[in-house]
Amino acid sequence: MQEVQIENQIINAAIDFILSHLEVSICVDDVAKVCGFSKFYLNRLFKEQTGESIYEFIKRLKVEQSAFRLKVEKERSITEIGSDYGYSPSNYATVFSKHFQKNPALFRKEIVEKSVFHPFYHGVKNKLETYEEVCSHITIETLPDFFVLYERRKGDYHNLASDWCVFTERFKDFITDETLFLERTFDDPSITKSEACMYDICLTVDKNDPRLKTQCRLSGCDDGDDGLNSAASTTVIPGGKFAVYHYKGFPQQIYAAYQSFFCRWLSETGNRLDDRSAFEIYRKIDCSTMYMELDICFPIV
């Protein structure tokens, strides 16, 4: 159990370092140095838990993050966005086309229409909200930092309900009337394949709680098929300036809320996302109907 927990922390540290350095040139040696292990050991452990080598992971995230920027930063040129991730114009077109089977210009032209199709409910087409409709749901807020106990998962969101049930049962002793339940997301599923999407399920805890060290150590388990071990760790989700979409509805429509924000609000307002992760704060869930109210928090500059 303890070994699983340690390995989980190593991989999470590697992933977090990569996520925060996508716009600079990093290699396997850089990641290994930060984690304090040989590149051979770290790369083997990384591939065992994620299904990708560190090099493959970095390469995929760079091109997918650049694709996301093509989608939401319409005022910027393709060359400029590619350059942000270290690509020359010709190299960017080659790498991008190999990954998405279309060049960056065609991708940008088609991505909004593609984004209306739900990636997890096949055949479901969502109507994007108008700019005015999106604005009616959004407030600009300064949020605090959140110290959380979390488990990192990889895969589509079909298993979220069962993931949450297991997670909350495992850590029920930490839940109080003041506990907030958060979900941190890292990928846009209109761009990233569903099986590669990564997310953290979290609950706020007192960082001084002496039970945390023991509870995290004992929580490790291997789910076997999600590509990441679901051993708990603690972290801080940074606060700051956010555009908060106050969502009320059902799970099937949450994707449309995200896409309306990406494809309507960002481009119309000229706001830009920064390198912090988006996250959701669950405010209300009716388990009988699955009606829910949550705040979708998008970090903006």
Side-chain angles (χ1 to χ4, degrees):
M1 292 283 187
Q2 187 172 5
E3 183 179 356
V4 171
Q5 175 65 17
I6 293 171
E7 291 178 351
N8 174 264
Q9 291 174 344
I10 294 168
I11 297 306
N12 283 349
I15 290 172
D16 290 341
F17 175 76
I18 293 167
L19 287 170
S20 63
H21 291 80
L22 287 177
E23 294 189 21
V24 298
S25 178
I26 56 173
C27 63
V28 177
D29 288 324
D30 299 320
V31 183
K33 184 177 180 179
V34 166
C35 294
F37 294 91
S38 77
K39 65 179 181 181
F40 304 105
Y41 169 77
L42 183 63
N43 200 52
R44 177 181 61 78
L45 184 62
F46 195 95
K47 189 160 188 176
E48 285 176 358
Q49 292 207 22
T50 69
E52 297 176 280
S53 69
I54 295 173
Y55 171 77
E56 291 168 338
F57 186 77
I58 294 172
K59 183 179 178 181
R60 176 175 66 80
L61 260 61
K62 276 181 174 288
V63 71
E64 289 179 354
Q65 185 59 34
S66 75
F68 178 73
R69 296 291 179 180
L70 288 176
K71 173 178 173 175
V72 302
E73 296 177 6
K74 298 177 182 177
E75 77 285 357
R76 301 183 69 211
S77 71
I78 291 173
T79 299
E80 186 179 7
I81 290 173
S83 178
D84 286 345
Y85 295 90
Y87 298 108
S88 67
S90 59
N91 187 42
Y92 184 49
T94 300
V95 172
F96 194 98
S97 298
K98 184 176 181 180
H99 188 78
F100 290 104
Q101 286 75 57
K102 62 185 68 176
N103 63 47
L106 182 59
F107 175 91
R108 175 176 258 180
K109 181 179 179 181
E110 296 179 346
I111 187 58
V112 172
E113 178 60 27
K114 178 186 176 183
S115 295
V116 304
F117 290 95
H118 204 299
F120 307 134
Y121 297 91
H122 298 296
V124 175
K125 186 175 182 180
N126 296 286
K127 180 178 180 296
L128 296 184
E129 294 176 305
T130 65
Y131 170 68
E132 290 74 19
E133 288 171 332
V134 180
C135 284
S136 70
H137 298 297
I138 290 177
T139 57
I140 305 300
E141 302 179 22
T142 300
L143 300 179
D145 293 344
F146 297 96
F147 185 81
V148 298
L149 183 66
Y150 78 99
E151 290 181 350
R152 180 160 291 168
R153 305 298 178 95
K154 183 179 180 182
D156 69 35
Y157 300 146
H158 278 305
N159 295 324
L160 266 175
S162 59
D163 286 348
W164 270 110
C165 288
V166 173
F167 181 73
T168 53
E169 176 62 24
R170 184 178 297 152
F171 300 112
K172 60 185 178 183
D173 291 342
F174 288 91
I175 299 173
T176 69
D177 291 341
E178 287 74 42
T179 299
L180 293 176
F181 300 92
L182 293 80
E183 183 179 302
R184 183 164 59 164
T185 55
F186 300 95
D187 305 287
D188 179 352
S190 73
I191 293 172
T192 300
K193 291 181 179 179
S194 59
E195 63 270 19
C197 287
M198 191 167 59
Y199 57 95
D200 295 341
I201 51 178
C202 325
L203 57 83
T204 56
V205 290
D206 179 357
K207 66 181 179 181
N208 296 314
D209 191 324
R211 298 173 298 168
L212 283 173
K213 185 176 182 180
T214 301
Q215 189 70 27
C216 288
R217 185 174 70 247
L218 296 177
S219 68
C221 65
D222 188 347
D223 283 350
D225 59 356
D226 66 356
L228 288 175
N229 287 332
S230 58
S233 302
T234 57
T235 192
V236 174
I237 297 179
K241 186 178 179 181
F242 286 83
V244 181
Y245 186 112
H246 302 280
Y247 177 83
K248 297 181 179 181
F250 298 91
Q252 294 89 334
Q253 283 76 51
I254 295 175
Y255 172 79
Y258 270 89
Q259 299 308 318
S260 295
F261 177 86
F262 293 149
C263 299
R264 297 283 191 262
W265 192 86
L266 278 178
S267 60
E268 292 290 335
T269 62
N271 281 284
R272 290 179 62 181
L273 298 171
D274 66 20
D275 59 3
R276 292 168 294 159
S277 300
F279 60 90
E280 302 166 3
I281 304 175
Y282 289 82
R283 301 296 187 184
K284 177 181 178 181
I285 299 178
D286 185 329
C287 293
S288 62
T289 65
M290 290 309 295
Y291 170 83
M292 57 180 58
E293 297 179 6
L294 51 91
D295 293 340
I296 308 174
C297 306
F298 298 96
I300 55 175
V301 178

